[in-house]
């Protein structure tokens, strides 16, 4: 059964092709036919029912009002960016600080040894990229991640972080393997003092079999805990390799909730050479991951508890209506990612879905926004009070008695605009999320055009994540354009 038409790529020659997304045997597939290489049909989502549930949360954004490129329709993904046809703003920006690394992971393509050259923009080039991000309209980019390679290979990393905070980024994080943090407790302290918000820590498992650098991972988390620097664990999940440790990773995080703020699972994307057998054997989709979370937590965190990223758009609409100021809007494609929260209590994990009727909560937010649009100061306060009351009803429909505390905090935040109140909420909560980045086999241009995670480049462009790393692979062109030779060995 045809679900929608889109455009995709031939996985061999990368020609843009008309594509069908169809339901078959309870799964969702993407298929297209290349005049040179024939039909290509690959798994898109492994659960058609969950696909349709997420489809109901679709939100179309208006894009960036000051794009780097004006373009005409039907040129995606050959004209990045960010172009006038893109539908979302930048929620999180990546800047590759280097392609050097101190590890040799078998599934990583970002290292100088493989490239044969060094990519490492200067401090001034990095600053110019950050200024471009902060000049984005209608809302400056709020969050930045320094990546690579391994960003801790840079001697000026602390200066870069300080500059990011000076320029106004509210969230500054590094994507790291943690080796340097593990070796030197003072390094974690200096990162925090420079203004780093989060260590986005590569963490593939809780055993040496799945995580060969386990001891370094443990030490990195311990050193971050000592200095109060938050950590998000980032496991790349590969079916048949480490998918059996998903529940154990969540348990590891819950046991360290004072320092580990969340787990962001990343199902493997086949950005390098891969055979059809590799893809069939190792592919894992968001529904697969959700099922394994439910199974491996003993049914505590149910598959149905995960919601797509755009589900939070009503909150942005509410704040924008209340303040009159443009807000960041999570208008990424509804099939790109999913998330939920669980509270870590003395009795164990308590999903937010058992404290709150989540659907009722979002409906209350929408109703509150509609009331606020009536205007007037008195109407504003009346709308907020009535809205908090409506949300309390959604809390009473939850299954757990701890909902009162949550709604007290949220009500205080909405009425007083004191967002610090939510710090208490987040401190005892664990974020569980997943982003499934695309590869040449499940490439959907509709998803590319709504990407909210963009790479800034030294030539003044913003490039969506899945065109930077797959499809046209802009990363290769950018790195080569700004490359310098490897130093000669003595």
């Amino acid at each position: 059964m045809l679900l929608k038409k889109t455009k995709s790529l031939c996985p061999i020659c990368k020609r843009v092709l008309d594509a069908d997304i169809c339901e078959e045997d309870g799964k969702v597939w993407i298929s297209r036919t290349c005049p040179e290489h024939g039909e290509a049909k690959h798994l898109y989502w492994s659960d058609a029912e969950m696909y349709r549930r997420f489809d109901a949360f679709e939100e179309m954004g208006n894009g960036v009002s000051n794009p780097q490129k004006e373009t005409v329709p039907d040129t995606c993904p050959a004209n990045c960016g960010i172009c006038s046809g893109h539908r979302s703003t930048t929620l999180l920006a990546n800047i590759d600080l280097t392609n050097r690394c101190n590890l040799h992971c078998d599934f990583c393509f970002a290292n100088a040894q493989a490239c044969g050259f060094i990519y490492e923009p200067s401090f001034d080039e990095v600053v110019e990229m950050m200024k471009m991000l902060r000049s984005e309209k209608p809302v400056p980019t709020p969050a930045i991640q320094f990546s690579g390679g391994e960003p801790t290979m840079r001697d000026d990393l602390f200066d870069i972080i300080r500059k990011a905070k000076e320029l106004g980024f509210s969230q500054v994080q590094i994507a790291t393997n943690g080796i340097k943090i593990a070796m030197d407790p003072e390094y974690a302290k200096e990162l925090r003092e420079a203004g780093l918000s989060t260590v986005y820590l590569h963490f593939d498992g809780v055993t040496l079999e799945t995580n060969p650098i386990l001891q370094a991972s443990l030490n990195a988390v311990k050193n971050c805990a000592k200095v109060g620097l938050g950590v998000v664990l980032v496991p790349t999940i590969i079916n048949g390799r480490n998918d059996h440790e998903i529940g154990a990773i969540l348990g590891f995080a819950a046991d360290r909730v004072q320092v580990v703020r969340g787990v962001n699972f990343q199902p493997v994307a086949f950005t390098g050479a891969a055979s059809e057998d590799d893809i069939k054997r190792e592919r894992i989709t968001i529904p697969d991951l959700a099922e394994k979370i439910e199974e491996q937590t003993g049914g505590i965190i149910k598959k149905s508890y995960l919601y797509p990223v755009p589900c939070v758009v009503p909150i942005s609409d509410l704040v924008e209506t209340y303040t009159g100021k443009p807000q960041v809007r999570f208008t990424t494609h509804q099939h790109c990612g999913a998330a939920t929260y669980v509270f870590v209590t003395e009795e164990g994990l308590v999903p937010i879905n058992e404290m709150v009727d989540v659907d009722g909560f979002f409906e209350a937010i929408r109703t509150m926004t509609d009331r606020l649009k009536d205007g007037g100061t008195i109407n504003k306060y009346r709308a907020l009070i009535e809205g908090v009351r409506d949300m309390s009803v959604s809390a009473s429909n939850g299954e757990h008695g701890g909902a009162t505390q949550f709604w007290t905090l949220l009500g205080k935040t909405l009425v007083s605009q004191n967002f610090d109140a939510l710090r208490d909420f987040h401190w005892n909560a664990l974020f569980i999320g997943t982003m499934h980045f695309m590869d040449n086999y499940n490439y959907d241009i509709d998803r590319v055009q709504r990407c909210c995670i963009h790479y800034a480049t030294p030539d003044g462009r913003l490039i969506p994540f899945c065109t930077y790393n797959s499809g046209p692979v802009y990363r290769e062109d950018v790195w080569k354009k700004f490359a310098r030779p490897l130093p000669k060995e003595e």
Side-chain angles (χ1 to χ4, degrees):
M1 179 177 68
L2 178 67
L3 298 177
K4 76 166 190 176
K5 288 187 173 292
T6 186
K7 289 187 180 295
S8 184
L9 302 176
C10 171
I12 300 173
C13 67
K14 301 179 185 177
R15 180 184 303 194
V16 176
L17 303 167
D18 291 328
D20 292 339
I21 294 180
C22 298
E23 178 182 346
E24 184 179 312
D25 298 327
K27 298 181 179 182
V28 178
W29 303 81
I30 184 166
S31 60
R32 59 280 195 201
T33 301
C34 175
E36 182 177 355
H37 299 105
E39 183 184 21
K41 178 180 177 182
H42 294 93
L43 185 65
Y44 189 93
W45 262 48
S46 58
D47 185 332
E49 182 179 350
M50 190 176 184
Y51 175 96
R52 285 191 291 270
R53 179 169 78 86
F54 274 39
D55 235 8
F57 290 89
E58 182 176 35
E59 293 279 356
M60 297 297 290
N62 295 320
V64 176
S65 58
N66 58 335
Q68 284 84 34
K69 282 190 175 183
E70 292 293 334
T71 189
V72 296
D74 297 327
T75 58
C76 186
N79 203 23
C80 292
I82 208 93
C83 80
S84 55
H86 201 77
R87 303 301 299 269
S88 296
T89 57
T90 311
L91 297 182
L92 172 66
N94 279 301
I95 293 182
D96 280 342
L97 294 184
T98 181
N99 66 343
R100 292 183 293 140
C101 191
N102 48 9
L103 284 181
H104 298 274
C105 302
D106 62 351
F107 51 83
C108 181
F109 50 83
N111 61 80
Q113 289 79 8
C115 296
F117 58 81
I118 294 286
Y119 169 80
E120 199 160 285
S122 69
F123 177 83
D124 289 341
E125 286 174 325
V126 172
V127 171
E128 288 304 310
M129 286 186 265
M130 290 194 286
K131 287 181 178 178
M132 174 186 63
L133 292 163
R134 292 300 294 163
S135 68
E136 186 171 309
K137 296 178 181 180
V139 181
T141 302
I144 192 165
Q145 174 173 273
F146 298 116
S147 52
E150 173 52 46
T152 60
M153 301 289 284
R154 292 275 301 231
D155 293 334
D156 58 354
L157 179 59
F158 303 134
D159 293 332
I160 291 172
I161 293 169
R162 277 189 283 267
K163 190 64 178 179
K165 295 300 290 186
E166 178 187 317
L167 289 171
F169 290 98
S170 58
Q171 175 74 15
V172 181
Q173 62 190 42
I174 57 171
T176 177
N177 56 37
I179 298 291
K180 200 161 185 177
I181 297 173
M183 293 172 62
D184 184 3
E186 283 298 310
Y187 192 81
K189 181 181 179 182
E190 290 185 64
L191 286 171
R192 183 183 62 78
E193 290 177 346
L196 192 71
S197 310
T198 306
V199 172
Y200 209 59
L201 183 66
H202 188 77
F203 187 90
D204 281 345
V206 297
T207 64
L208 286 173
E209 180 184 14
T210 58
N211 186 0
I213 60 167
L214 178 61
Q215 191 56 56
S217 301
L218 296 174
N219 290 341
V221 172
K222 186 184 300 182
N223 287 341
C224 288
K226 287 178 182 176
V227 301
L229 181 56
V231 174
V232 171
L233 305 179
V234 189
T236 299
I237 300 299
I238 302 174
N239 192 52
R241 181 181 296 194
N242 64 344
D243 58 305
H244 61 289
E245 290 190 6
I246 289 170
I249 292 170
L250 291 173
F252 176 93
D255 290 342
R256 296 160 179 81
V257 71
Q258 297 302 312
V259 61
V260 177
R261 306 289 193 255
V263 181
N264 200 12
F265 295 102
Q266 294 186 352
V268 63
F270 298 97
T271 53
S275 68
E276 289 289 337
D277 287 341
D278 291 334
I279 297 166
K280 290 177 182 177
R281 181 178 63 253
E282 297 180 345
R283 172 72 80 196
I284 184 168
T285 69
I286 289 174
D288 295 325
L289 179 68
E291 287 177 8
K292 290 177 185 293
I293 289 174
E294 180 169 347
E295 292 168 3
Q296 294 176 31
T297 60
I300 294 174
I301 307 171
K302 294 179 171 53
K303 179 179 178 180
S304 60
Y305 287 174
L306 273 76
Y307 279 70
V309 175
C311 74
V312 299
V313 168
I315 299 175
S316 298
D317 291 341
L318 171 65
V319 177
E320 187 168 305
T321 302
Y322 183 84
T323 64
K325 298 177 181 178
Q327 301 294 311
V328 293
R329 302 183 82 247
F330 291 71
T331 56
T332 189
H333 194 278
Q334 62 274 16
H335 297 119
C336 286
T340 190
Y341 267 99
V342 296
F343 289 87
V344 182
T345 71
E346 293 181 358
E347 292 80 27
L349 297 180
V350 179
I352 193 171
N353 313 66
E354 294 180 6
M355 299 175 65
V356 179
D357 172 2
V358 176
D359 291 321
F361 164 69
F362 288 126
E363 184 57 39
I365 290 288
R366 291 187 188 93
T367 300
M368 194 187 310
T369 303
D370 290 340
R371 289 170 179 160
L372 283 171
K373 288 178 180 177
D374 290 340
T377 302
I378 295 176
N379 282 339
K380 272 191 174 184
Y381 281 107
R382 181 183 296 131
L384 287 172
I385 292 168
E386 291 176 353
V388 171
R389 182 197 63 205
D390 292 345
M391 289 188 294
S392 297
V393 172
S394 73
S396 66
N397 290 333
E399 302 173 11
H400 197 272
T404 303
Q405 179 186 8
F406 169 70
W407 287 115
T408 299
L409 288 172
L410 187 59
K412 187 191 301 183
T413 300
L414 290 171
V415 173
S416 67
Q417 291 291 287
N418 175 19
F419 291 93
D420 286 340
L422 287 185
R423 291 182 186 275
D424 296 330
F425 156 63
H426 190 78
W427 191 250
N428 297 308
L430 187 68
F431 170 83
I432 300 173
T434 175
M435 288 295 289
H436 192 176
F437 299 112
M438 294 188 292
D439 50 47
N440 293 338
Y441 307 96
N442 58 8
Y443 205 90
D444 180 359
I445 288 178
D446 189 28
R447 283 182 55 184
V448 170
Q449 293 171 340
R450 285 188 263 171
C451 179
C452 293
I453 303 176
H454 304 149
Y455 279 86
T457 65
D459 54 4
R461 288 184 292 166
L462 290 176
I463 300 176
F465 190 103
C466 288
T467 58
Y468 192 75
N469 294 308
S470 60
V473 194
Y474 283 89
R475 176 197 291 271
E476 295 177 359
D477 293 337
V478 171
W479 282 14
K480 288 176 182 177
K481 182 178 179 181
F482 294 92
R484 57 184 171 84
L486 283 170
K488 294 181 179 180
E489 295 183 6
E490 297 296 331

